[in-house]
Every structure is written in C-alpha cells, then in structure tokens.
Amino acid sequence: MTAISSIYVYVEPRCAVVDYDDVAAHVRQNLPGVAVSLRGRILEDSVAGDSAAARQLATALAGAKVRKLGEPAPRRQKSLPGEVEYELRRLANPDGQAYGLLYDAGAMLEVYRGFLPEMEARRQDTLHVIFTNQLIGNWDAADKRYHARTVICSSPSIISLSGLVEAPAREPGYYLARRSSEALGFQEEAKMELARFFAGDYLTFDDSRMTEAAKGYVMAAASYRMTGEAFCADPDCGLFNAHWQRELIRAQLGGPYEYCEPHSRVFRQCKTTQEAPWR
Ligand SMILES: [Zn+2]
C-alpha cells in the first residue's frame, strides 16, 4: 500500500453548492494524519495577469476538447480560433456558469500537470485532486465512443461536477418520459413538470447533495493512490462505482455507513503502514 501524507484539493468556483471546507474536513476525518489543504483555481490562478500564458493555456484547452463523440480526439489536435477565444473568456471569468463541454481526459491531465508544483508532482505520497465543472471523458475502444466520467484517478486526479450530474444515467422512466414529451412537442412547462416528477432521483447542478457526492469521489482518488483500486463492489460504500444516479445517491447519501469496513480499515492505516492490510 502506498502511504499518503498530503492531499491538495483545487476548487471549481463555478459550482456554488459545493462546500469545499466540508469536503476537506471529511477527508481529514477519514484519513487521520494526512494533511488536507484547499487550493485555488489551478488554471485561472496560474495564468492570472499574464495574457501570453493565458492564450497558450486557452489553445491547449481548445486542443483538448472532444469535437466528435464517435471519434478519438487526435493527439495534438489543432485548436480552432473561436474555441481559443471561448476558453480565454472562460479563464477570465471564473464566476461564469459555463459547464458541460467534453474534454479528453489524457489531454486534460497533461494540461493540469503543467501547473502542478514540480517537487510535489513527483511525490507518491502527495495527491492532487482537481475539481472542474466541464465534462471529462475517455475514449472507449470497445464501443467506439467517448464516455463522460465522474472521476479520473491519476496524477493529478480530476473530479467532474458535470460528470456527477451527467455520467451516471437517470432512471429509464425519465428518458422514456422525456422522449415522449419531446415527440409530442410538449412545451417548456410540461418539461418542468417532468423534472419535478423525477426530482430527487438524480443530482442536479444546484443540488445541495453535491457536497456529499464530492466527498466520496475525493476518497476514491485517495483509495486509488493507496491501493491501486478506486472503487468498491459494496453498493453502500462511498467508493461504489455508480453507473446509475440512484446508485450514486445510495452510495453517497444513503445506506447504513459511509464506507465499508475493509475500506475504513484501509483509510485508518493510510499513513501509518506500508503493508497492505487488505488481503
Ligand atoms: Zn468499500
């Protein structure tokens, strides 16, 4: 097992409902002895006041964007001028609400790595967790399309707040009802009614439950660093890999405990031992 000494959490300011102090307190409580600190906005703060660096970053971000869901984004993809301007505006306006564009996970990891302090980035015992409200996806060679992810466990780890809302699917009934209402040409009011009917079954962007969900995914990133496994097969454990919104809500907000006993044990020993307590 790999021990962790420090976790740095980089906040996404564009999602006001996530209480990052609460997230950090949860991680401290579950990983005794690990120093957990909040940091600012990794991209925006790194290029603030430097227009050349901002343009370079905007170009890299535009190059990381997934343009076609059914095609793997080419490495070193050429960025289009309109996309670079969009990224520049977004970097300059961290209070804006823009979210939900899909970016290639590998390309985004490269972008983020460029801004991590070099000494920290090389340390196995230091974990960086970056929150973003854009969607982050991997190319799935098996079914030949991109899939949006809730979390990318790597160095750094990325948690997508849009991914928490969009990646695990909603109830089949929701999609069925939405398709029928669209087919029947229902107006906005009827669609709102539909949203109210299914409200509570899935996370939304302004959902107060986002903080609870964020906690479990930071712990998944930590678990991955410690044991090589991010997720757990127990549907009541906060590390359960939810494919459905109802599973996410059960794992993060319901159930008899926050983490299963084997994982609680792993967490308690995260700093004190190099031995695997798991098997
Ligand atoms: Zn577990």
Side-chain angles (χ1 to χ4, degrees):
M1 188 164 91
T2 304
I4 296 182
S5 303
S6 308
I7 299 180
Y8 296 104
V9 177
Y10 296 79
V11 306
E12 167 59 87
R14 300 175 188 86
C15 183
V17 291
V18 177
D19 179 344
Y20 290 100
D21 288 315
D22 194 9
V23 172
H26 174 87
V27 180
R28 271 183 217 114
Q29 191 191 338
N30 282 283
L31 296 177
V34 175
V36 184
S37 337
L38 293 182
R39 283 187 172 167
R41 310 160 302 198
I42 186 164
L43 300 182
E44 292 84 350
D45 293 355
S46 299
V47 299
D50 183 342
S51 59
R55 183 160 288 277
Q56 199 181 2
L57 170 58
T59 307
L61 290 170
K65 210 169 100 180
V66 174
R67 300 199 184 115
K68 290 179 182 157
L69 278 183
E71 281 176 25
R75 222 176 134 71
R76 309 261 176 253
Q77 141 179 278
K78 206 167 154 21
S79 38
L80 306 172
E83 291 175 336
V84 175
E85 295 311 315
Y86 165 83
E87 297 294 348
L88 272 174
R89 282 196 301 278
R90 190 168 181 274
L91 287 170
N93 181 19
D95 299 324
Q97 288 299 309
Y99 58 82
L101 290 180
L102 182 65
Y103 293 81
D104 180 80
M108 282 309 295
L109 284 170
E110 236 174 82
V111 169
Y112 286 131
R113 278 178 197 140
F115 293 105
L116 296 179
E118 208 179 316
M119 286 305 288
E120 289 173 10
R122 275 196 252 130
R123 294 181 63 115
Q124 274 293 310
D125 68 345
T126 301
L127 180 67
H128 297 268
V129 181
I130 298 169
F131 277 90
T132 175
N133 66 349
Q134 300 293 47
L135 286 169
I136 307 291
N138 299 114
W139 174 253
D140 186 329
D143 67 353
K144 296 192 170 43
R145 62 179 291 255
Y146 269 90
H147 285 280
R149 305 291 180 198
T150 45
V151 60
I152 302 291
C153 291
S154 186
S155 180
S157 286
I158 311 171
I159 298 174
S160 166
L161 297 166
S162 295
L164 295 178
V165 173
E166 303 285 347
R170 298 175 187 178
E171 295 302 305
Y174 170 86
Y175 296 106
L176 199 64
R178 193 179 66 178
R179 270 202 301 278
S180 339
S181 74
E182 277 165 8
L184 293 168
F186 282 2
Q187 298 305 304
E188 240 3 80
E189 204 177 312
K191 288 180 189 160
M192 297 286 286
E193 180 69 27
L194 178 68
R196 275 196 293 275
F197 183 76
F198 285 97
D201 289 352
Y202 54 83
L203 288 181
T204 58
F205 241 92
D206 51 3
D207 203 310
S208 60
R209 299 175 297 181
M210 287 286 264
T211 299
E212 291 305 313
K215 292 174 183 176
Y217 285 86
V218 177
M219 294 301 288
S223 168
Y224 182 77
R225 175 61 60 88
M226 287 186 278
T227 67
E229 282 288 339
F231 296 119
C232 178
D234 177 348
D236 286 317
C237 178
L239 301 187
F240 186 72
N241 188 12
H243 291 92
W244 293 89
Q245 284 285 327
R246 80 180 124 73
E247 292 175 335
L248 185 153
I249 288 167
R250 174 175 171 186
Q252 304 303 332
L253 291 120
Y257 41 78
E258 284 188 305
Y259 299 100
C260 69
E261 183 44 38
H263 275 114
S264 302
R265 215 169 338 126
V266 168
F267 295 158
R268 281 197 298 275
Q269 298 181 25
C270 67
K271 196 180 155 82
T272 52
T273 176
Q274 300 286 328
E275 298 294 311
W278 186 252
R279 283 175 256 271

